[in-house]
Amino acid sequence: MRAVFMGTPEFAVPALGAMLEAGVEVAGVVTQPDRPAGRGREVTASPVKRVAVERGIEVLQPLKIKAPDAVDWVQGKHADVIVVVGYGQIIPASVFDYPKLGTVNVHASLLPKYRGAAPIQWAIANGETVTGVTTMRIEAGLDTGDILLVREGEIGPEETASELSPRLAARGAELLIETLRGLEAGTITPRKQDNAAATYAPILKKKDGRVDWSRSARAIFNQVRGFDPWPGAFTTFRGELLQLRRVRVAGGSAGGPGRIEVAGRRLLVACWEGGLEVLELQPEGKRRMTAQEFLNGWRPESGEMLG
């Protein structure tokens, strides 16, 4: 089987690796252009590009995949199938329609739930306990193509997005190989999605991380888990930004929403319903620290407010 792989983030790396290990001939890799990253804003290659270069695979990094020269490059590889995992651009029909086995996408949700750019993050933030991966055919709509195979799995009660993502990436890589073999053998029957059951997971914005203390403790706990590491869950304290890195639901409320209670070595915050204990946090411009370190250094007092 000859393939073109289109992907960019770390989540896509296991899928590319699994294809190579399974003997799939990856004729080319399409990934996003190198971009500034990190504190130093150094121009950095995508995780997928780094693997492709190491394995000697030709790489294309178009600003727009719909550009005629990019379309010609992909079609010129004469692939039997295109595989897409977190590429980051809308793929035109001139690309996804041409392979004889179609274009297969690995999506980190149980479609039709959580269509969109951030399915892992929103599933956790919304309090889901079960998720999974789906292989589907690419079509013109947003994650609306026919479902090929699905693999379900649990979300741990304290699992964060950064912890769940590599688990689903590995599971998706396994499911991809099963899907490619099934397509080649003609043993997979695609099925339509139930559009009436669809939910959406839009791309995350910085504002999504702002904590509203008038929500329940459970909802904020899920927000902290789901938006780790970015955009994070943040509030303010004494006029400065404060990232909540790890919290747990506490037994009771410490007062009005956002009110701090210092109970020995514990840092508690009241919510609209219940309360949270803050375990790890990070003041703006400072390192990540434990609640005890924060109490020792900042000396918050019971009755002060967050947000």
Side-chain angles (χ1 to χ4, degrees):
M1 179 184 292
R2 185 175 171 88
V4 168
F5 185 86
M6 304 179 70
T8 299
E10 192 66 41
F11 183 87
V13 168
L16 176 57
M19 290 171 65
L20 295 170
E21 290 178 13
V24 176
E25 180 188 358
V26 180
V29 164
V30 184
T31 189
Q32 294 280 53
D34 299 353
R35 293 199 168 99
R39 288 181 177 271
R41 306 304 293 165
E42 294 184 8
V43 176
T44 305
S46 75
V48 165
K49 179 184 177 180
R50 293 197 292 270
V51 173
V53 170
E54 288 172 3
R55 301 297 292 266
I57 303 170
E58 187 178 356
V59 176
L60 179 71
Q61 296 177 273
L63 288 174
K64 299 289 184 181
I65 186 59
K66 64 183 180 181
D69 57 342
V71 173
D72 289 345
W73 187 93
V74 175
Q75 291 183 350
K77 296 303 177 186
H78 305 292
D80 301 307
V81 66
I82 295 175
V83 173
V84 180
V85 186
Y87 172 53
Q89 291 188 38
I90 295 174
I91 299 169
S94 54
V95 170
F96 68 68
D97 268 349
Y98 97 86
K100 66 179 182 180
L101 296 179
T103 297
V104 177
N105 176 235
V106 179
H107 188 76
S109 80
L110 301 176
L111 290 171
K113 294 188 72 174
Y114 296 105
R115 295 172 175 173
I120 295 173
Q121 295 90 332
W122 285 110
I124 294 177
N126 288 340
E128 302 284 359
T129 58
V130 175
T131 187
V133 287
T134 302
T135 51
M136 56 166 280
R137 290 207 187 276
I138 291 278
E139 62 172 36
L142 176 64
D143 299 328
T144 57
D146 291 353
I147 291 172
L148 300 173
L149 294 177
V150 177
R151 187 162 294 171
E152 187 177 289
E154 293 184 354
I155 300 175
E158 296 186 358
E159 196 166 25
T160 65
S162 60
E163 293 166 342
L164 178 59
S165 182
R167 286 208 302 117
L168 289 186
R171 183 165 295 178
E174 294 172 357
L175 192 66
L176 172 63
I177 300 306
E178 185 179 342
T179 300
L180 294 179
R181 287 173 176 161
L183 288 174
E184 192 172 39
T187 57
I188 293 179
T189 302
R191 58 185 175 88
K192 297 291 183 184
Q193 294 190 42
D194 179 4
N195 291 327
T199 62
Y200 293 91
I203 190 168
L204 289 169
K205 300 177 181 178
K206 181 66 176 178
K207 66 179 182 179
D208 292 320
R210 183 174 294 280
V211 172
D212 178 359
W213 294 104
S214 66
R215 301 175 73 209
S216 71
R218 177 63 58 179
I220 297 171
F221 169 70
N222 291 335
Q223 180 184 12
V224 173
R225 296 165 54 222
F227 297 161
D228 169 73
W230 196 91
F234 61 90
T235 186
T236 55
F237 178 64
R238 296 174 182 169
E240 296 191 32
L241 197 68
L242 192 66
Q243 291 273 357
L244 304 178
R245 293 300 187 183
R246 193 162 66 92
V247 301
R248 66 181 170 207
V249 177
S253 172
R259 183 182 182 276
I260 288 174
E261 179 182 340
V262 179
R265 297 184 176 184
R266 302 174 71 201
L267 177 60
L268 306 174
V269 188
C271 307
W272 171 73
E273 180 183 304
L276 288 176
E277 180 178 358
V278 179
L279 303 175
E280 293 183 9
L281 64 169
Q282 186 171 3
E284 187 172 21
K286 308 292 183 182
R287 64 175 178 84
R288 183 168 176 159
M289 63 183 67
T290 65
Q292 184 61 57
E293 290 172 322
F294 180 75
L295 291 173
N296 291 341
W298 290 68
R299 299 192 178 280
E301 297 182 359
S302 294
E304 288 192 89
M305 302 294 292
L306 295 181

